[in-house]
Amino acid sequence: MAGEKQQQETVAPQAGHEQHTCPACGSPVETVIRRRKSLGVFVPEWVAGPCRNPQCPRYAAPEGAGS
């Protein structure tokens, strides 16, 4: 829709999707939905979210945390 801000990434609902894990440390991570375009139509794609384990090399601080 014109003038509306579209969100690129949202947390997926717990609708039976498999649990993703961090490839570096093996900790469970959130499942997020991303959009990809296929034949001119955006389709949802469930992917692993950022790792929240502070000891992991792929650690991503939660938004709004810190400063």
Side-chain angles (χ1 to χ4, degrees):
M1 307 250 169
E4 289 185 22
K5 184 178 180 183
Q6 294 182 1
Q7 193 172 13
Q8 293 291 74
E9 189 173 290
T10 58
V11 177
Q14 300 298 321
H17 298 285
E18 70 275 359
Q19 177 68 44
H20 292 280
T21 57
C22 174
C25 68
S27 296
V29 295
E30 294 178 338
T31 301
V32 295
I33 301 173
R34 293 198 178 130
R35 300 182 321 153
R36 65 180 174 88
K37 202 166 192 178
S38 177
L39 297 174
V41 177
F42 285 104
V43 294
E45 181 176 42
W46 284 263
V47 297
C51 185
R52 301 292 186 212
N53 180 3
Q55 288 82 29
C56 179
R58 294 182 139 194
Y59 173 71
E63 291 181 17
S67 52

